[in-house]
Amino acid sequence: MPVEPSKPVLRVILGDQLSSRLPVLADADKASDVILMAEVMAEATYVRHHVKKIAFLFSAMRHFAQALDAAGFTVRYVRLDDADNSQSLEGEIQRAVGDLSPARVIVTEPGEWRLREQFEALRFALPVPLDILPDTRFLCSHQAFAAWAEGRRELRMEYFYRQMRRDHGLLIEADGSPSGGRWNFDKDNRQPPSKHMTFPRRVSFRKDQITLDVLDLVRRRFADGFGTLEPFHFAVTRRQALRELDHFIDHILPAFGDHQDAMVAGEPYLNHSLLSAYINAGLLYPLEVCQKAEAAYRQGRAPLNAAEGFIRQILGWREYVRGIYWRFMPDYARRNVLAAHEPLPWMYWSGETRMACMREAFAHTIEHAYSHHIQRLMITGNFALIAGLDPAAVHEWYLAVYADAYEWVELPNTLGMALHADGGLLASKPYAASGNYIRRMSHYCQGCVYDPAVAVGENACPFNALYWDFMDRHRDRFAGNARMPFVYTTWDRMGDDRQAQVRSQARQHLAAMREGRL
Ligand code: FAD
Ligand code: DLZ
Ligand code: SF4
């Protein structure tokens, strides 16, 4: 009797899962199983993604599919323009199941709640089982985060991070103590910009035919998309991303720490790594990135404050925000404890504003699908916080405009860290700052029509009155916060008349903002 060939397993890989070490590939039978990858409009349009983000992901997906094919896997790759493309991930899974009659479907857990819900629902629509496997690229599983969080009165990244350092043996000495005798060297990393700072050249890659085809596709299909498509010099393969990582470790990491919070006009990158888009899409593994940074320190090629500061962002913040996301979703996305309801002003999309600091952050965003952390937190995020912008609208903007943006990482950073809309679950105090902070930490104010030293009057920096008005509005919530000493003593010392002027100035700024005059 002829032996019936075994049914294939359909193995689904999403656009931000471009890693060969995922469990979904681990036990694949190259002779019979099929890998499904699909470019679909549903994912490319659920927010108004930056065109560079779409191009980066499609090109990286096509290159990854090519590498799988070369390694002997059978890949069913659906292109955006393919005639039968149903334009949704569920649709493409259903179509593949119809065509291939697999024994089962497996997929790695998606990074966004909405997609995991869709896959849960798809289970009931498919004639075969669908299994959702854990995403093993992360260094802290859902179970491990839950075990750490359980029973704690409040969750703080710093304690989570120490646990992660111990668990993964990163920057830990033989006796179990942290390297250098301290867990955190953040105090050394807050220097303002200095004229001695240098910014090494960045790696750029020649575009191959795959990338040129994708750029052409994105130009045609996303003509109204946000941002500029070219020049385009993202790494789109693991090999290229590794080159960019090595370049960072060798030439940039040593200076990563000292001026980590600084901002310099005309310098979009400073000494940041630009690795988030690659780590989040799966081209780099977070652990290997941390290990390379530690090796640089141990070999005397990078100071400890730089290596520790860098590792803390990935091993600490990155894993922590993911833990918060999955623990508190879906309720988390709806939080708005400060009752902020101001619609997102058009300047966030157009980039047009008289405020030099905001203009610069928007310009980097539009041009590079990138702005560094301090611009996201202390410029565009800080403004959104003190102007009382609606968290859902701000969240949608951040999710759209950056090449590294996926909800699991973007939402806690926006809603929790920048907007304090979760009431302090993620960060114990609001990152609100006046023009004085921006003047100290950047060069922006020198080229601005506004004056950071002025709170009321024609050239008053909008960050000043909006900052005080924000503090005043939320006095009941923040007056007792031990991490914000002197705020209300300073405000009270201004006296009634001055306070009234400041409030009135804040209202004028908001009116100007709504009318596109700010
Ligand atoms: P570096 O400064 O070189 O840092 C090294 C790495 O640490 C990054 O590549 C990233 O993987 C990790 N990292 C640093 N800070 C954080 C953080 N707060 N949370 C998680 N990981 C971190 N990061 C994203 O990856 N995607 C987002 O969508 C995103 N949205 C943000 C929105 C807001 C409002 C804020 C304040 C921050 C957001 N961040 C986001 C965090 C951070 O700003 C970016 O990770 C960082 O700017 C990426 O640039 P880089 O690779 O040059 O980072
Ligand atoms: C962001 C994105 C885009 C723009 N396009 C696709 C796509 O066409 N196909 C796909 O599989 N994934 C895409 N993605 C990434 C998904 O949106 C991502 O997997 C979810 O946001 C979960 O993190
Ligand atoms: Fe920004 Fe105010 Fe400085 Fe202008 S003066 S760059 S608005 S902080």
Side-chain angles (χ1 to χ4, degrees):
M1 247 185 36
V3 184
E4 216 189 305
S6 62
K7 285 190 164 191
V9 175
L10 185 65
R11 297 168 183 272
V12 183
I13 296 185
L14 306 179
D16 57 352
Q17 298 178 344
L18 309 179
S19 314
S20 59
R21 284 183 233 151
L22 280 177
V24 82
L25 287 174
D27 60 344
D29 181 340
K30 287 185 179 169
S32 63
D33 292 352
V34 176
I35 316 292
L36 172 66
M37 297 178 69
E39 299 167 4
V40 293
M41 284 307 271
E43 292 308 306
T45 55
Y46 72 94
V47 287
R48 193 178 168 219
H49 297 292
H50 197 297
V51 285
K52 271 198 169 82
K53 176 182 182 184
I54 301 175
F56 159 64
L57 222 57
F58 283 5
S59 179
M61 284 171 71
R62 291 185 185 190
H63 281 94
F64 188 67
Q66 190 183 52
L68 289 177
D69 185 66
F73 292 96
T74 303
V75 185
R76 177 179 165 115
Y77 191 93
V78 184
R79 291 176 175 227
L80 196 76
D81 278 346
D82 285 354
D84 296 338
N85 190 337
S86 64
Q87 302 298 354
S88 76
L89 290 170
E90 309 105 290
E92 282 316 289
I93 294 174
Q94 280 179 309
R95 202 160 65 86
V97 168
D99 290 351
L100 304 168
S101 301
R104 61 193 183 106
V105 181
I106 56 178
V107 60
T108 306
E109 179 180 70
E112 300 196 349
W113 180 272
R114 85 187 150 87
L115 214 45
R116 198 173 78 175
E117 289 287 284
Q118 284 172 27
F119 287 159
E120 297 286 355
L122 185 59
R123 283 201 163 125
F124 299 100
L126 287 179
V128 294
L130 181 151
D131 296 328
I132 301 176
L133 306 186
D135 190 337
T136 50
R137 293 171 299 176
F138 288 94
L139 301 170
C140 182
S141 66
H142 296 326
Q143 293 79 3
F145 191 84
W148 173 79
E150 211 48 57
R152 283 175 192 263
R153 206 169 44 82
E154 51 172 30
L155 306 180
R156 287 293 163 249
M157 196 291 291
E158 184 60 30
Y159 300 110
F160 170 79
Y161 167 60
R162 292 179 190 181
Q163 185 65 43
M164 292 291 283
R165 288 266 296 275
R166 288 191 202 94
D167 289 352
H168 295 277
L170 284 162
L171 294 178
I172 296 290
E173 299 308 313
D175 63 0
S177 64
S179 301
R182 265 160 51 196
W183 291 102
N184 185 319
F185 289 80
D186 209 20
K187 265 211 319 281
D188 305 345
N189 292 0
R190 294 194 195 123
Q191 295 176 39
S194 88
K195 50 180 183 299
H196 306 297
M197 289 171 81
T198 54
F199 308 109
R201 277 175 67 89
R202 297 293 173 154
V203 189
S204 185
F205 300 97
R206 206 174 54 79
K207 292 182 273 296
D208 65 4
Q209 196 55 47
I210 293 181
T211 299
L212 292 172
D213 289 348
V214 164
L215 291 176
D216 186 47
L217 171 79
V218 173
R219 210 175 291 118
R220 278 189 293 108
R221 296 294 301 271
F222 301 93
D224 296 336
F226 174 77
T228 50
L229 185 57
E230 289 181 283
F232 180 92
H233 26 64
F234 279 83
V236 289
T237 63
R238 173 159 166 80
R239 185 195 291 248
Q240 290 178 344
L242 280 169
R243 258 187 56 205
E244 209 160 323
L245 169 60
D246 288 342
H247 179 78
F248 170 74
I249 298 284
D250 293 344
H251 302 289
I252 300 164
L253 176 66
F256 176 85
D258 298 351
H259 302 280
Q260 204 184 328
D261 287 2
M263 297 171 275
V264 176
E267 288 293 340
Y269 307 136
L270 290 99
N271 291 305
H272 293 275
S273 71
L274 318 189
L275 295 175
S276 52
Y278 308 138
I279 304 174
N280 294 352
L283 298 183
L284 297 174
Y285 297 96
L287 185 58
E288 73 186 344
V289 176
C290 292
Q291 285 169 337
K292 285 202 178 198
E294 170 166 22
Y297 158 66
R298 299 233 179 255
Q299 292 157 9
R301 294 187 288 122
L304 184 54
N305 70 312
E308 187 282 314
F310 180 70
I311 288 173
R312 176 158 25 90
Q313 306 311 312
I314 297 176
L315 184 69
W317 278 112
R318 187 173 184 274
E319 297 289 330
Y320 181 69
V321 298
R322 178 180 184 254
I324 295 282
Y325 178 78
W326 286 109
R327 191 168 169 81
F328 295 102
M329 279 298 280
D331 162 68
Y332 195 78
R334 292 188 284 269
R335 294 195 185 189
N336 186 3
V337 301
L338 300 181
H341 296 295
E342 183 69 34
L344 189 78
W346 180 243
M347 66 175 156
Y348 274 75
W349 296 108
S350 70
E352 288 162 13
T353 166
R354 283 151 42 94
M355 293 179 283
C357 53
M358 293 282 275
R359 200 169 56 235
E360 176 106 356
F362 291 143
H364 298 166
T365 305
I366 291 168
E367 196 177 337
H368 305 293
Y370 177 87
S371 70
H372 62 73
H373 184 67
I374 299 304
Q375 287 178 312
R376 296 189 205 193
L377 183 64
M378 299 310 297
I379 304 292
T380 47
N382 177 24
F383 183 87
L385 171 72
I386 60 182
L389 305 190
D390 173 29
V394 180
H395 153 54
E396 192 178 320
W397 184 78
Y398 278 104
L399 186 57
V401 302
Y402 293 116
D404 58 22
Y406 304 93
E407 198 180 79
W408 66 266
V409 53
E410 176 278 328
L411 183 68
N413 268 299
T414 302
L415 209 119
M417 193 184 295
L419 301 184
H420 206 78
D422 65 359
L425 180 71
L426 187 99
S428 55
K429 69 170 187 132
Y431 285 93
S434 66
N436 191 37
Y437 171 89
I438 298 170
R439 184 198 54 74
R440 192 160 34 87
M441 294 308 292
S442 81
H443 295 148
Y444 298 146
C445 302
Q446 293 159 13
C448 189
V449 295
Y450 298 112
D451 185 340
V454 179
V456 175
E458 208 177 312
N459 295 331
C461 165
F463 281 86
N464 291 334
L466 289 173
Y467 169 82
W468 286 116
D469 190 57
F470 169 81
M471 288 301 175
D472 184 37
R473 285 197 313 273
H474 300 293
R475 183 169 195 143
D476 287 351
R477 181 173 287 275
F478 298 131
N481 191 319
R483 295 194 64 202
M484 300 165 66
F486 313 125
V487 170
Y488 291 99
T489 357
T490 310
W491 173 242
D492 291 341
R493 257 196 229 125
M494 285 185 201
D496 291 346
D497 288 353
R498 179 71 175 169
Q499 285 181 352
Q501 285 173 356
V502 169
R503 287 193 198 99
S504 157
Q505 180 72 65
R507 279 197 299 280
Q508 289 174 45
H509 288 320
L510 289 177
M513 176 191 81
R514 292 179 197 121
E515 291 161 16
R517 291 187 285 107
L518 201 60

